[in-house]
């Protein structure tokens, strides 16, 4: 038996969710880097703006799929270490892109996206499998706080580097991402494997030691027995883990719910704000995008504060209640500027930016953290890795399409109209929650599986 390293719960939850900082940093960094890339390469193509920005999300689609399969075989912990290594390499390669290397930078960011997608699929699984049911919402929500912190960190780095020469500025912005990736790699080496992964691979004694790190002693055997019972039932089933089987077999209700929430989170348009806020403000006010880097910092600060609000209320309100509230508030925040601009003339152009801040606030304490909480807890053990990878991939499909199409859409129609379209999608997401997503608050992972898996 391999000896489990003795580490504290705080260490486990900190480094277990630290991958969110990498996720968040690379979500936000292109927001500040893109205006300087435009200057340095004299880039005036909406197509290449969309390609370079969205290429990371394209890679993340496949990274999520890769993580789904690999994490079931090598474990969540090793998947985090591997993702950190890929991230380090991809960040450094981005920083040394040749001048006017549109194709090079696009391909490198696809490679980098493999890591981001893998992290987005693996961290929710690891955190949900390492936390007790009664506090899973709050502790799993730390993942998003890390994402928000990483996003804000990227915006602050962008802001302070804006006074450097354009070529040096964007290269430094992209290269600095290797620092948190190195921290994650070192920290992940001491993380224990998740108990459900260990039991699924018949490493019972190791699982017992890991559970003792995060659960009271009188709960250890009950936890092991519950996981073993689920594993035994799953071992008696036939080939149910193929993608088509997940959506049509006995797992379909939970798979559709989890994947649907993950997909809607991105199709609701949030990354149009996080990737392009300097360009959005520039179009609204007429000021140069490179002089609007304080706005991403403001949006990032709102996002981080909202994540703290979620940590305070996560286990006090039902998941569905918060998602319905958030989706409604986000939808109205997108639709109201279009209505106001239609009804009134000479409206201050910053009215749209004001409503975008409200949108980010609603997003930050509802859909942003809860998506990953639900992805981490809703899927049955036998397909958890693959289903989480699928959910992550669908999430990144949405991010890729929003990142690619937003500059093209705003080149042909007003920003208010584009955001109104996203607002309608937000309201569609609310309907999806009402009709298709079960309540999971306060239930163990095994209880969720037992209640909702349809034989």
């Amino acid at each position: 038996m391999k000896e489990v390293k003795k580490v504290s719960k705080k260490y486990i939850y900190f480094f277990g969710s630290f991958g969110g900082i990498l996720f968040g940093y690379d979500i936000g960094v292109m927001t500040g880097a893109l205006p300087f890339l435009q200057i340095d390469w004299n880039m005036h193509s909406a197509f290449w703006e969309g390609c370079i920005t969205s290429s990371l999300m394209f890679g993340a689609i496949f990274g999520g799929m890769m993580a789904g399969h690999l994490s079931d075989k090598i474990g969540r912990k090793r998947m985090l270490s591997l993702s950190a290594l890929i991230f380090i390499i991809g960040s450094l390669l981005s920083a040394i892109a040749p001048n006017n290397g549109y194709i090079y930078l696009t391909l490198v960011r696809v490679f980098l996206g493999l890591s981001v997608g893998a992290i987005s699929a693996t961290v929710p699984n690891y955190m949900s499998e390492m936390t007790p049911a009664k506090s899973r919402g709050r502790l799993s929500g730390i993942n998003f706080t890390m994402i928000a912190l990483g996003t804000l960190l990227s915006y602050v780095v962008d802001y302070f580097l804006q006074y450097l020469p354009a070529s040096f500025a964007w290269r430094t912005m992209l290269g600095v991402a290797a620092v948190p990736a190195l921290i994650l790699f070192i920290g992940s080496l001491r993380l224990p494997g998740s108990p459900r992964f260990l039991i699924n691979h018949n490493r019972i004694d190791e699982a017992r030691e890991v559970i003792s790190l995060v659960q009271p002693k009188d709960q250890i055997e009950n936890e092991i027995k519950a996981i073993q019972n689920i594993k035994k039932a799953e071992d008696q089933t036939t080939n149910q883990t193929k993608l088509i089987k997940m959506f049509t077999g006995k797992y379909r209700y939970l798979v559709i719910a989890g994947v649907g929430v993950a997909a809607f989170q991105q199709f609701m348009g949030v990354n149009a704000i996080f990737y392009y806020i300097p360009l959005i403000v520039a179009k609204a006010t007429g000021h140069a995008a490179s002089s609007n880097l304080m706005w991403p910092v403001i949006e990032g600060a709102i996002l981080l504060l909202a994540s703290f609000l979620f940590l305070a209320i996560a286990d006090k309100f039902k998941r569905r209640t918060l998602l319905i509230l958030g989706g409604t508030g986000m939808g109205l925040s997108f639709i109201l500027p279009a209505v106001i601009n239609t009804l009134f003339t000479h409206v201050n152009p910053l009215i749209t930016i004001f409503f975008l801040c409200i949108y980010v606030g609603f997003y930050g304490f509802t859909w942003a953290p809860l998506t990953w909480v639900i992805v981490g807890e809703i899927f049955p053990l036998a397909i958890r890795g693959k289903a989480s990878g699928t959910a992550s991939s669908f999430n990144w499909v949405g991010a890729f399409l929003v990142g690619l199409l937003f500059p093209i859409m705003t080149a042909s129609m007003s920003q208010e109209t584009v955001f109104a379209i996203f607002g309608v999608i937000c309201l569609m997401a609310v309907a999806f929650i009402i009709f298709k997503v079960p309540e999971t608050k306060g239930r163990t992972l095994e209880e969720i599986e037992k209640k909702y898996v349809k034989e």
Side-chain angles (χ1 to χ4, degrees), residues 46 74 120 158 196 202 246 324 335 354 378 399 432 436 453:
I74 68 174
S120 70
D158 290 352
R196 286 168 180 81
N202 297 313
M246 289 197 297
I324 291 169
I335 293 171
F354 170 75
I378 202 170
F432 179 81
K436 292 294 183 181
V453 170

Side-chain angles (χ1 to χ4, degrees), residues 43-54 102-103 106 276 403-405 407-408 411:
M43 181 170 60
H44 300 290
S45 167
F47 172 77
W48 279 113
E49 288 176 15
C51 277
I52 291 174
T53 301
S54 64
Y102 297 100
I103 296 176
T106 298
Y276 297 113
L404 177 64
L405 296 177
I408 299 172

